[in-house]
């Protein structure tokens, strides 16, 4: 499984405007709504908020991977966002988050959902990959950086 199988250029935003966790989730879901991947924005946001209540998806090192399964999506889909200043996300290490991968999957797609989470997590463990993402100037740059990394890791 490749990240670019479920992340498209129209679901990437390099300067998130949000200042807090809830707004960041809304802003990322909005990208998936605009790109036609999420049918019910309100319901998807609620699903993601409920998942966050179980424990923050801010995994540390400036990364958050908010995720959830919902019948408002028909296929696995991701949105990517950067916040140069960082957003407080109740991360495990208490640090602000700069890199966001929001992942949504249909209700019955637990296997694909877990594989995608594992794939994103494994790529983000590489600090050079994280640094490269933070220097991206366009959504196309993000796609190229991910493509290069996936070639190395495949």
């Amino acid at each position: 499984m490749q990240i670019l199988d479920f992340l498209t250029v129209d679901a990437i935003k390099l300067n998130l405007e949000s200042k807090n966790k809830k707004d960041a989730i809304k802003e990322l879901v909005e990208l998936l709504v605009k790109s036609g991947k999420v049918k019910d924005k309100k319901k998807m946001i609620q699903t993601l908020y409920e998942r966050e209540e179980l424990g923050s998806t801010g995994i540390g090192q400036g990364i958050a991977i908010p995720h959830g399964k919902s019948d408002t999506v028909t296929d696995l889909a991701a949105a990517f966002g950067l916040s140069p200043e960082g957003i407080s996300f109740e991360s495990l290490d208490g640090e602000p988050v700069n890199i966001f991968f929001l992942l949504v999957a249909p209700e019955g797609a637990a296997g694909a959902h877990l594989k995608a989470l594992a794939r994103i997590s494994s790529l983000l463990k590489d600090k050079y990959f994280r640094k490269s993402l933070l220097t991206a100037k366009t959504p196309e740059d993000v796609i190229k950086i991910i493509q290069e990394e996936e070639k190395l890791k495949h």
Side-chain angles (χ1 to χ4, degrees):
M1 172 180 291
Q2 301 276 318
I3 290 174
L4 298 179
D5 295 341
F6 51 86
L7 174 66
T8 55
V9 75
D10 57 356
I12 296 173
K13 187 168 184 181
L14 298 185
N15 287 302
L16 293 175
E17 293 153 37
S18 303
K19 301 291 179 235
N20 62 55
K21 181 180 196 167
K22 284 193 164 185
D23 288 347
I25 289 172
K26 273 186 200 160
E27 197 171 350
L28 290 163
V29 168
E30 187 65 45
L31 292 172
L32 292 177
V33 170
K34 281 183 183 156
S35 65
K37 294 178 184 102
V38 169
K39 294 186 283 274
D40 184 338
K41 180 169 104 176
K42 236 182 179 162
K43 191 172 179 185
M44 189 75 250
I45 289 169
Q46 190 56 43
T47 298
L48 293 162
Y49 285 174
E50 286 167 10
R51 168 58 191 85
E52 288 299 322
E53 284 169 20
L54 301 174
S56 179
T57 57
I59 58 173
Q61 298 181 305
I63 302 163
I65 311 174
H67 57 275
K69 293 188 291 294
S70 170
D71 60 8
T72 71
V73 290
T74 50
D75 293 303
L76 191 63
F80 175 85
L82 287 180
S83 172
E85 322 67 74
I87 295 170
S88 172
F89 211 82
E90 299 158 22
S91 294
L92 301 179
D93 62 2
E95 294 297 314
V97 172
N98 306 99
I99 298 172
F100 294 85
F101 265 101
L102 178 113
L103 184 68
V104 296
E107 283 293 351
H113 182 79
L114 290 173
K115 268 190 196 142
L117 278 173
R119 184 82 185 132
I120 291 167
S121 299
S122 75
L123 288 183
L124 288 170
K125 282 186 180 121
D126 181 329
K127 73 176 180 198
Y128 298 106
F129 176 62
R130 294 194 306 270
K131 278 189 176 150
S132 298
L133 288 173
L134 289 169
T135 64
K137 300 283 179 252
T138 66
E140 290 77 15
D141 287 348
V142 172
I143 297 286
K144 276 190 205 115
I145 292 163
I146 293 170
Q147 268 172 342
E148 291 304 310
E149 192 66 18
E150 293 210 293
K151 275 184 206 152
L152 294 173
K153 298 275 193 263
H154 216 52

